Amino acid sequence: MSRLKILVEMKHGLGDCVCMLPAIAAIRKNYPKAYIALLINGKANQEIFEHSHIAIDDYFYFSLKNRSITYTVKTIFKLMRKHFDIGVLATMTPKTKGMFFFKILGIKKCFGEQYNGLNFLDLDNSLHFVNRNLNIISKFCPKIENRQPQLFANLEEGIKFQNLRKSPHVKIAVSIGGADKNYYKGKYVFTRNWKKEYMHDLVELLSNNPEYDVLLLGGKLEVNLISDYTDLLECKNVYNFVNQTSIGESIYLLSMCQLAVGVDTGMQHIADALGVPTVSIFGPTNPSTHGAFSKKASFVLCNPKLSCQFCFGKDIYYTCPNRKCLNSISPQKVYHKILLLLRDLYGEKYDF
């Protein structure tokens, strides 16, 4: 009997990949001998899945934005020759494009919200992405034992951080950026950015406590922000790792921390999957459906709630001139939330 072949499409962000982990784990649990391949954007996505300890047989990189036509055509033919029995479309993949692509590949049985007549935003404020993904695969996976995304740090990737690891201080990771940039009507827009002055001030508040080690995280998009932290980088307890680590190394750094702080970004999902408590600053996206999944996740939102809040997917999400839902949240409010959480976790030492 030939080996069952399953293709899971997840050509999206790092946080989206994390939210797909329980579904892929369930597929492997239900089909331990199956050939499972992932269709992803690139190496960063692959590193997420490799740190999940889920047995994945193959990875295919596929992105019309970053690959040549020749590469794209060759990849399509490679996928066609696999003769997949089952295909799973990510929830955020456009219905028409996704279903057409799976049809080209000749996949025998296809699963996804798209095949149930749903569009991406239909369940946006009612069901978390983790549960949406699990609902999709439940059609052919009767056993779902764990809904929590899980990642594991690789000790070999943390060798150069051992001196920091030995520090007795509470380690707090701060993702200084605003998550992915979005292309909208001819220009790029950062839709989840907190004011950069606010993020700087929050880091300053944290650095004022000599019992904290503050780790600044970010990628290429955050390189231009690090110059705003020149004054704080003179502090002995502030460490700059912006654009200086691989995804695997970032996973290791987060695993060392007692807390991770940031906006609605993939690093917060990664920290949560490592079992690290998180404090996330949310505005246009709904934390109950977009946020870190576990009970260790905490969120800071504007109060009172704005009538236009949770505008994800609407035009105003891209065009909002002031982002009050984010920028009305002060650094002091976030700092207060952090202190409350640290006190709950570690006792009276962090009372205030």
Side-chain angles (χ1 to χ4, degrees):
M1 184 176 179
S2 61
R3 191 181 184 192
L4 186 73
K5 295 181 179 180
I6 302 172
L7 177 67
V8 179
E9 179 267 324
M10 180 37 75
K11 301 191 303 79
H12 301 282
L14 299 183
D16 301 316
C17 291
V18 172
C19 289
M20 181 62 86
L21 291 176
I24 298 175
I27 293 172
R28 175 53 75 198
K29 185 72 174 180
N30 281 267
Y31 301 95
K33 296 182 180 180
Y35 168 88
I36 299 176
L38 302 186
L39 186 67
I40 55 178
N41 280 332
K43 179 61 178 176
N45 302 65
Q46 182 172 340
E47 285 192 66
I48 293 292
F49 293 110
E50 286 176 340
H51 285 78
S52 71
H53 292 181
I54 303 169
I56 306 297
D57 294 284
D58 218 341
Y59 296 89
F60 293 91
Y61 296 173
F62 192 87
S63 174
L64 296 178
K65 295 179 182 179
N66 304 317
R67 311 286 174 184
S68 68
I69 294 177
T70 301
Y71 174 90
T72 300
V73 171
K74 286 183 178 179
T75 302
I76 290 173
F77 277 106
K78 284 182 182 178
L79 290 165
M80 291 173 66
R81 287 194 289 269
K82 290 293 183 182
H83 302 290
F84 286 102
D85 301 289
I86 293 174
V88 178
L89 272 182
T91 57
M92 61 286 299
T93 299
K95 182 193 298 186
T96 302
K97 291 181 180 178
M99 293 175 68
F100 179 69
F101 186 68
F102 271 20
K103 187 175 182 179
I104 288 176
L105 298 185
I107 299 175
K108 297 170 186 175
K109 293 183 179 180
C110 301
F111 298 87
E113 292 179 348
Q114 300 86 341
Y115 294 94
N116 297 327
L118 294 173
N119 291 307
F120 173 44
L121 295 174
D122 289 348
L123 300 176
D124 185 60
N125 286 314
S126 59
L127 198 62
H128 196 284
F129 281 111
V130 169
N131 291 322
R132 289 171 69 172
N133 292 329
L134 287 169
N135 283 353
I136 291 169
I137 61 97
S138 67
K139 303 292 190 302
F140 64 96
C141 292
K143 296 179 182 178
I144 298 177
E145 297 179 352
N146 189 2
R147 291 179 174 267
Q148 173 60 41
Q150 290 182 303
L151 290 171
F152 304 90
N154 185 337
L155 294 179
E156 294 180 355
E157 291 171 313
I159 292 174
K160 63 183 180 181
F161 308 124
Q162 290 309 302
N163 287 338
L164 178 57
R165 186 180 184 88
K166 292 175 184 177
S167 167
H169 300 158
V170 169
K171 298 171 185 62
I172 302 174
V174 180
S175 295
I176 65 171
D180 295 335
K181 60 183 179 181
N182 297 269
Y183 192 72
Y184 181 76
K185 294 186 176 180
K187 64 179 182 180
Y188 285 103
V189 183
F190 290 90
T191 54
R192 306 175 202 174
N193 265 8
W194 199 32
K195 280 186 178 181
K196 63 179 184 178
E197 297 87 355
Y198 284 5
M199 190 66 81
H200 171 279
D201 290 350
L202 176 62
V203 173
E204 184 173 20
L205 287 168
L206 293 169
S207 68
N208 287 337
N209 190 328
E211 297 297 319
Y212 298 164
D213 285 331
V214 185
L215 287 60
L216 305 185
L217 302 183
K220 291 181 180 178
L221 294 177
E222 285 71 50
V223 170
N224 293 332
L225 298 176
I226 201 63
S227 60
D228 298 329
Y229 294 82
T230 303
D231 57 330
L232 300 180
L233 290 175
E234 295 179 1
C235 301
K236 292 182 179 180
N237 63 336
V238 177
Y239 300 84
N240 174 26
F241 293 106
V242 173
N243 200 36
Q244 297 182 30
T245 59
S246 65
I247 295 298
E249 289 171 335
S250 294
I251 288 173
Y252 187 89
L253 284 172
L254 284 168
S255 75
M256 290 167 39
C257 293
Q258 283 72 50
L259 182 66
V261 181
V263 297
D264 177 13
T265 180
M267 282 296 153
Q268 295 297 93
H269 287 278
I270 291 172
D272 185 68
L274 289 164
V276 177
T278 59
V279 171
S280 302
I281 305 155
F282 265 67
T285 50
N286 188 336
S288 66
T289 53
H290 288 247
F293 188 70
S294 82
K295 293 181 180 179
K296 291 185 177 182
S298 300
F299 306 98
V300 184
L301 296 93
C302 66
N303 188 20
K305 180 183 175 182
L306 302 175
S307 60
C308 59
Q309 201 164 353
F310 304 157
C311 62
F312 176 75
K314 301 175 183 176
D315 285 342
I316 192 66
Y317 176 70
Y318 305 99
T319 61
C320 182
N322 49 47
R323 307 217 176 267
K324 285 185 179 179
C325 60
L326 281 167
N327 294 327
S328 63
I329 301 171
S330 70
Q332 291 74 22
K333 182 176 181 178
V334 180
Y335 184 61
H336 182 82
K337 182 74 171 181
I338 290 170
L339 291 180
L340 282 174
L341 183 59
L342 288 175
R343 185 182 65 181
D344 290 343
L345 291 171
Y346 303 108
E348 293 181 359
K349 180 179 179 180
Y350 299 98
D351 208 348
F352 55 95

